[in-house]
Structure formats: C-alpha cells, structure tokens
C-alpha cells in the first residue's frame, strides 16, 4: 500500500467521522522532514516528522516549546492502531538522535482529528497526553443557555486607558493555562502582551474588547475575522473562518454571566463578518474553559497530543 492509497483510505474514514475536517492529502518526505511508513497485512501507516524552532522572545514561544517535533500521520486499515504503534516506535528512534534528552523546551506533538480515536491507546503507551484542543462552532449551532447576565455588564472596545488591564488579564490567563501544559511561561510575556495590545487598541476596526461589571473592567475578548483569520482555513472545511483568540474573566467576576456575555458578543461579531465556523484553542484539562466552551456550542475538532520533553 503506497502513500496515495493510505491517504485515500485515511481521508474516506475521516470524512465519515467528521465532515468539518479538511480534505486529507498524501504526505511525502521533504528536505526538512523525515518520512516513516509501516505496513502489515491490510493495514498501513505513513507519517512525516518535522522540526520547528522559535526564539524565546517571539510571541509564539508562549504557546509551545521552543523546539517542537511534530508527526503528521495517515492511517489505513481496520487494525491501523497496531501499525501506528510501530510508526511511533520508528519516530522515537529518530527523536533519540535529533532531540536533547530531558530538555523541557522540546516537545513531541501529534495532532489528531478528535473524532478519529484510532491510535489513542498507542499514544498513551508512548508517553503522550491530550493537552490541547482546537474546537469548532458552526455558525448555525445553537448554544446551551449560560448563566443569566448581570444587569451591570457592559462590553466596549478596549482603549488606551485599558492597556494595563489587558496585560493583567492576559497574564492571569497565561499563568492559569500553564498549569495544564498548554502554554509556556516566559520572562518577556508581559512585554509581548503589551506590544500586541497597543497594536489592537490602535485599530480602526476593534477586535479587542473589555467587559465591565458595574464599571469595573473584569473581562477580556480578542477575535480575528477574515481575511486576518484565513490562516485557520487549513484546519476546517469552510471558506470563511473566524478565530476566537482570547476570552478571560477575572476571578472576581466568575459566575456572573460576564463570560457568556462576551461569548455572545463575539458570536454576533462573527455573524456580522459572515463566518461559517469559529475556531478556538483551549487547554483540554482546564476545568473551567472546557465545559464553558462546549456549553457555548463548540466541540473538539483537533486534539494535540504532546510529550514534553520530546525525549526523556
């Protein structure tokens, strides 16, 4: 079974599992990638491993390890979990040669369609954990009603006087999500947030919003709409895709309805922009964000399995 045949069977299975997944293409080795393939009876697995590096001062360094080894996989056959296990063993041998053992700022990552659960046990046995989810909400999906909104909630675009509030709320969220392995604390995090907030506040079309509760700024919302969010089209079968970058509510305003009000405001903005679906990332183990987002009509689309360090 060649890579094209594996990809065709892989794509057919994913289309049944989740029609919102993008079309799956064959994967081949490249100059900066290492190709793997395993076949057994009527089952086969192919994969390409790549290595990416970001500098500690880059904004992307907050959301990942500095060195990330990623395996992209295609699976075929009714027992494809068995060949996937062999593929992971091949990859581990390759990682042992190219990754620094025990380095916390290295990670091995496998991104799998959330509804295609083949290989989950094999990933666990190889030391991976499901850490992060890319969730999706179709535009016509009805959300379960959230808590009643407090009468004192007001949502407005962020202003220059909100700069320190924006930084504080972003930093609170970063520290909380760091507990679940989805993000990484960096010494320059506040500097990164400050630079981004200034750029957002200066926009003529606001994408950064503040929620006030009885005059106190206690909630934060940041979104992207097309064409700025076009990068997200690679993850879902839709042409107009919105991305919800950040939603955070300070501890003092929890269970007050501020979060639900911000989500409703975001969805109104996405509807006005004509988006077909909205995507967002969240830490899977977060006991607050996971139930909140699914009560707002989201569901898992992609699951990020991570092992950190990449090699123990």
């Amino acid at each position: 079974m060649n890579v094209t045949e594996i990809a065709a069977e892989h794509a057919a299975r994913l289309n049944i599992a989740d029609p919102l997944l993008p079309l799956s293409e064959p994967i081949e080795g490249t100059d900066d990638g290492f190709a793997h393939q395993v076949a057994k009876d009527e089952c086969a697995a192919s994969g390409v491993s790549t290595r990416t590096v970001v500098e500690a001062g880059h904004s992307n360094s907050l959301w990942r390890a500095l060195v990330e080894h990623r395996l992209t996989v295609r699976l075929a056959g009714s027992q494809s979990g068995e060949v996937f296990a062999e593929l992971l063993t091949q990859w581990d041998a390759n990682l042992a040669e190219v990754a620094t053992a025990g380095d916390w700022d290295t990670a091995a990552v496998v991104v799998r369609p959330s509804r295609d659960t083949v290989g989950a046990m094999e990933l666990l046995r190889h030391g991976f954990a499901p850490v992060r989810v890319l969730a999706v909400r179709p535009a016509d999906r009805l959300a379960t009603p959230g808590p009643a909104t407090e009468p004192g909630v007001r949502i407005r675009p962020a202003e220059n006087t909100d700069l320190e509030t924006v930084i504080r709320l972003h930093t609170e969220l970063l520290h909380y999500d760091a507990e679940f392995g989805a993000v990484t604390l960096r010494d320059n995090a506040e500097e990164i947030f400050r630079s981004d907030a200034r750029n957002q506040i200066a926009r003529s079309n606001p994408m950064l919003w503040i929620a006030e509760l009885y005059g106190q700024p206690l909630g934060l919302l940041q979104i992207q709409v097309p064409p700025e969010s076009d990068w997200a089209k690679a993850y879902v079968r839709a042409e107009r895709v919105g991305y919800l970058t950040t939603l955070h509510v300070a501890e003092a305003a929890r269970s007050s309805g501020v979060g639900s009000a911000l989500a409703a405001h975001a969805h109104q903005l996405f509807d006005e922009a004509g988006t077909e679906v909205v995507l967002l990332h969240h830490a899977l183990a977060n006991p607050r964000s996971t139930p909140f987002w699914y009560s707002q009509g989201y569901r898992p689309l992609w699951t990020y399995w991570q092992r950190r360090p990449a090699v123990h």
Side-chain angles (χ1 to χ4, degrees), residues 219-242:
L220 178 71
L221 170 70
Q222 186 172 339
I223 68 169
Q224 293 179 358
V225 299
E228 187 177 358
S229 55
D230 282 355
W231 61 269
K233 293 197 293 185
Y235 297 93
V236 64
R237 198 179 306 184
E239 282 302 313
R240 292 191 61 79
V241 181

Side-chain angles (χ1 to χ4, degrees), residues 138-163:
D140 60 351
R141 188 167 185 176
L142 298 177
T144 302
T149 303
E150 283 285 327
V153 175
R154 174 185 174 229
I155 300 174
R156 57 172 176 78
E159 303 169 349
N160 286 325
T161 54
D162 297 310
L163 184 60

